[in-house]
Amino acid sequence: MNWEQLLSLKRFGDTEKRPRIAQDETRLGFEVDFDRIIFSSAFRSLQDKTQVIPLSQTDFVHTRLTHSLEVSVVGRTLGRRVGKVLLERHPNLVKLGYTFNDFGAIVAAASVTHDIGNPPFGHSGEKAIGEYFKSGKGAKYKDQLSAKEYQDLIDFEGNANGFKILTESREGIFGGLRLSYATLGAFLKYPKESLPKKPTNHIADKKYGFFQSETTEFLDVVQELGMQKKSETDISYYRHPLAYLVEAADDICYTIIDFEDGINLGLIEEEYALEYLSKLIHGINRDKYYALKHTKDRTAYLRAIAINSLIDEAVTIFLANEEAILNGSFSKSLLEKCKYEAQINDIIKISIEKIYKSKEVIEKEVAGYRVIADLLEVFTTAINHKFNEQESNFDNLVLNLLPSEYQVETDDVFYRIMQICSYVSRMSDSYAIRLHKKLTGNII
């Protein structure tokens, strides 16, 4: 892979090249990507989607939206710092007009979208969709689908759903948000289809990155970027190098900030903050730390320094392994290679025990399973009954609630089902609960 091709400014539908040197320096194409994402309805819905604590009653806890914004800030710094060195190593990029800000803008845009495909109720929402089709009432569709289509459903993946949201065409809108291919490439942490599942231990094979319905769009992006094929028998590619920085930005934020949330909510004792976060810090000003009177201020101080320390590590590891990253042989995430791996794992272990497995989280995740399964059943039944001309009065009433963009008539059962999955996955937590109550007669 080569950087000139990987930094493509092309967008879906372009008939002419977009040379970097011809860009308007006051509003670069990569910065336009960020703007389009921020103004999209899919991004807005993240303000009411779970990051750690579902439907929290406090105003402190992070949502997917605040988490995504924080990841983009870290991602921008990672991109700029890496970009500055890469331009020294590859002076031809400077001649073409690229600056270190381009790298920062690409990583920031891809980072701010990294959770845009996540359904309501956090990662349990993904599992709830998958289980509806694997062991719930949706299993009846298995015989009507190809193996890969069915795998897309039973292993529903927020990353693939995100790619769908970013690229899906609909009437009057071609290519979704029409982001630059460089940003889309950096977004694709797992550039493969759902089968075979985890064929190797390479980080790019951990999950999958696109549904069968977006195969054409995926191939268009990876081929334009010159991403390296990983398999000759299935659709699988090595990562765009900047995807490693997007992943690192997310890993840094959820490791440190989820931990911080747990402390501020009283789920984790404050003593853990000093004990564990200080291990990520080269030096801590204890006088300054103890002069801070409030728990939130003390944990914020530690969090800021810890994040900066992990940024330093991620940049160092990326630059030391640039060649391996470009040729696809770098098989781990950046933080898995860092000197703080053991300390990071300790923090994650505590977060799992004290936060993710807390009674408040589990109770709401259980409720979320039921909400998502019921919504999928009502809407998939209605849309398939309509196609087969078997719709009931209730089905017709339900379809009146389904926005018109999800009611495209087609004899492709996978496409019909994916439209419903797309609709449900874009709901906020609160809206999914309200709609579920209406459909089950709990409120009118």
Side-chain angles (χ1 to χ4, degrees):
M1 292 184 277
N2 69 83
W3 283 110
E4 182 179 343
Q5 198 169 357
L6 290 165
L7 299 175
S8 173
L9 281 151
K10 181 181 177 180
R11 302 177 188 276
F12 282 114
D14 280 357
T15 56
E16 297 181 1
K17 293 283 186 181
R18 290 178 183 253
R20 172 60 182 85
I21 203 152
Q23 287 281 298
D24 179 354
E25 293 296 330
T26 64
R27 193 162 183 259
L28 299 172
F30 302 131
E31 294 171 343
V32 171
D33 290 344
F34 190 92
D35 298 347
R36 289 181 176 181
I37 295 157
I38 294 294
F39 282 98
S40 69
S41 60
F43 184 74
R44 285 199 302 276
S45 74
L46 297 180
Q47 67 185 307
D48 187 24
K49 284 192 175 182
T50 295
Q51 170 60 19
V52 181
I53 308 294
L55 303 164
S56 175
Q57 300 302 307
T58 149
D59 63 357
F60 175 83
V61 168
H62 289 82
T63 64
R64 287 283 174 189
L65 185 140
T66 50
H67 168 70
S68 296
L69 290 171
E70 289 167 345
V71 173
S72 75
V73 170
V74 173
R76 183 182 62 213
T77 299
L78 288 168
R80 286 179 175 179
R81 289 184 56 182
V82 164
K84 185 176 181 181
V85 176
L86 291 179
L87 293 177
E88 295 170 359
R89 293 180 179 178
H90 306 279
N92 62 304
L93 295 177
V94 178
K95 294 177 182 177
L96 293 169
Y98 289 101
T99 71
F100 66 83
N101 283 328
D102 292 322
F103 291 86
I106 293 167
V107 179
S111 295
V112 85
T113 64
H114 81 282
D115 274 346
I116 204 165
N118 277 33
F121 312 112
H123 289 298
S124 68
E126 291 175 302
K127 294 183 178 69
I129 294 174
E131 289 186 15
Y132 168 76
F133 292 103
K134 185 176 183 178
S135 55
K137 294 180 179 179
K140 61 192 172 189
Y141 299 112
K142 180 178 181 179
D143 293 340
Q144 303 175 54
L145 303 169
S146 71
K148 290 178 180 178
E149 288 172 342
Y150 188 59
Q151 189 66 35
D152 285 355
L153 295 174
I154 65 172
D155 198 18
F156 189 86
E157 175 55 53
N159 289 284
N161 196 46
F163 187 74
K164 181 181 182 69
I165 289 170
L166 297 178
T167 63
E168 185 178 40
S169 298
R170 62 178 188 268
E171 191 172 355
I173 299 179
F174 178 74
L177 296 185
R178 293 192 71 241
L179 304 182
S180 69
Y181 281 22
T183 293
L184 290 173
F187 170 84
L188 286 165
K189 289 197 295 183
Y190 311 107
K192 67 177 289 292
E193 55 191 342
S194 57
L195 287 177
K197 188 173 181 177
K198 296 183 181 179
T200 73
N201 290 324
H202 196 288
I203 189 68
D205 285 334
K206 182 179 178 181
K207 299 180 182 179
Y208 70 98
F210 69 96
F211 297 129
Q212 292 301 300
S213 50
E214 281 69 55
T215 301
T216 300
E217 290 83 355
F218 172 82
L219 290 173
D220 190 22
V221 170
V222 297
Q223 289 168 6
E224 164 68 18
L225 294 171
M227 289 168 62
Q228 186 178 335
K229 262 190 172 183
K230 193 171 182 297
S231 170
E232 293 299 326
T233 56
D234 302 287
I235 301 177
S236 177
Y237 286 75
Y238 289 104
R239 280 180 169 179
H240 188 294
L242 298 184
Y244 285 93
L245 298 182
V246 174
E247 178 180 58
D250 185 27
D251 288 348
I252 290 169
C253 287
Y254 86 72
T255 298
I256 304 302
I257 297 174
D258 285 5
F259 188 66
E260 179 188 17
D261 272 359
I263 293 166
N264 286 307
L265 286 169
L267 297 172
I268 298 174
E269 295 81 0
E270 184 186 350
E271 289 73 22
Y272 281 109
L274 184 59
E275 179 182 353
Y276 285 90
L277 292 180
S278 62
K279 293 178 181 177
L280 305 177
I281 299 169
H282 299 304
I284 177 175
N285 186 331
R286 290 183 177 267
D287 290 338
K288 181 175 181 178
Y289 175 79
Y290 286 112
L292 298 168
K293 293 184 178 181
H294 304 292
T295 297
K296 281 197 291 188
D297 295 331
R298 289 190 292 271
T299 55
Y301 171 70
L302 294 174
R303 174 252 299 156
I305 302 175
I307 286 177
N308 192 60
S309 180
L310 292 179
I311 286 173
D312 290 343
E313 272 291 289
V315 169
T316 299
I317 295 163
F318 184 98
L319 292 172
N321 293 278
E322 180 198 356
E323 184 178 351
I325 288 171
L326 283 169
N327 67 32
S329 62
F330 191 84
S331 62
K332 303 285 187 181
S333 69
L334 296 178
L335 292 195
E336 285 180 295
K337 290 284 190 177
C338 86
K339 63 185 179 184
Y340 299 118
E341 183 189 7
Q343 290 86 343
I344 290 170
N345 288 336
D346 286 342
I347 291 172
I348 292 173
K349 183 179 179 181
I350 292 173
S351 295
I352 290 172
E353 293 173 356
K354 302 283 188 176
I355 307 173
Y356 309 141
K357 290 185 178 179
S358 68
K359 184 178 179 182
E360 180 181 4
V361 170
I362 291 173
E363 285 177 345
K364 289 174 181 175
E365 287 185 346
V366 168
Y369 264 78
R370 178 64 183 270
V371 168
I372 287 178
D374 287 351
L375 291 176
L376 289 172
E377 175 63 15
V378 166
F379 284 105
T380 55
T381 297
I383 202 167
N384 286 313
H385 278 176
K386 181 182 179 182
F387 174 77
N388 294 316
E389 298 181 348
Q390 298 172 338
E391 67 268 34
S392 65
N393 288 332
F394 179 71
D395 291 332
N396 286 325
L397 288 171
V398 166
L399 291 173
N400 284 330
L401 298 174
L402 184 65
S404 58
E405 61 263 34
Y406 300 105
Q407 296 196 47
V408 179
E409 292 188 13
T410 174
D411 59 1
D412 185 338
V413 65
F414 178 69
Y415 186 85
R416 295 198 301 271
I417 292 172
M418 284 304 304
Q419 288 298 90
I420 301 304
C421 289
S422 184
Y423 173 56
V424 172
S425 71
R426 296 189 198 202
M427 293 179 185
S428 66
D429 293 9
S430 296
Y431 180 73
I433 289 172
R434 288 198 306 272
L435 183 57
H436 181 261
K437 287 180 176 178
K438 290 178 182 178
L439 291 172
T440 54
N442 289 322
I443 59 171
I444 299 176

